[in-house]
Amino acid sequence: MRSLRFLALPALALLVGLSFPTSAAKASVLALPHGAQPVNVNVGFNTQMPLPDLSQQTLADAQKAGREYLYRLGSEECALLIATIAKTCRLTNLNINTQIQQHNPGQPLLYINGNATFTISLKDDAAGGD
C-alpha cells in the first residue's frame, strides 16, 4: 500500500509595493487522476497604500484598485503552484477586506488583506512515496 506524505505549506504573506502590475496568469482546471487525494493550500496577501486624503472618491478608487490587485494575485497563484508543487490547481475561495487607519494625522493608510484557498493535486515528486 502506498502512503502519501502531504506537503504542508505555511500561509504565504506577500508585502507588495504600491504599483499594481497588469499581467495575469491562467489557472488550469482541476482534474484529479484516479486515486489522487486533493490538497488544500491557503495563501495570504497583504498590502498597504498611503492615501492623499479621505474623500469618498479617493477611498472608493483606492479600494477598487487594491481589490483588483489582490484578485490578480489570486488568479496568478495557480501558475506559481503548478510551476513548483502542483499538477493541477483550482481557486476555491477568495476573501478580501480593506481597512483605513490613520496613526499619524494627515497620513491615512489603506490596508488591503486577502486570503485565497486553492485545491491542488501534487506532482508525483512532491507527493513522495514509500
Side-chain angles (χ1 to χ4, degrees):
M1 181 173 179
R2 182 178 175 188
S3 66
L4 295 177
R5 287 175 278 148
F6 293 105
L7 182 61
L9 294 177
L12 174 64
L14 297 177
L15 180 61
V16 295
L18 300 177
S19 62
F20 296 100
T22 58
S23 64
K26 293 181 181 178
S28 67
V29 175
L30 180 66
L32 296 175
H34 181 68
Q37 295 294 320
V39 175
N40 289 326
V41 176
N42 294 308
V43 181
F45 304 101
N46 303 294
T47 189
Q48 59 184 332
M49 298 172 56
L51 298 169
D53 60 62
L54 293 174
S55 71
Q56 285 184 352
Q57 189 63 48
T58 297
L59 294 176
D61 291 346
Q63 288 178 349
K64 182 179 177 182
R67 287 191 319 271
E68 180 182 349
Y69 182 62
L70 291 186
Y71 292 148
R72 191 172 301 116
L73 287 177
S75 73
E76 294 172 352
E77 194 68 20
C78 270
L80 177 59
L81 288 165
I82 288 173
T84 54
I85 64 167
K87 189 183 309 184
T88 60
C89 179
R90 178 174 48 115
L91 175 64
T92 57
N93 191 27
L94 180 62
N95 294 309
I96 295 176
N97 63 65
T98 61
Q99 182 180 26
I100 300 163
Q101 292 187 359
Q102 189 168 356
H103 296 292
N104 298 322
Q107 297 178 348
L109 289 173
L110 176 66
Y111 290 90
I112 306 159
N113 305 299
N115 186 10
T117 302
F118 301 88
T119 299
I120 67 169
S121 64
L122 294 172
K123 292 181 179 179
D124 292 335
D125 59 344
D130 293 333

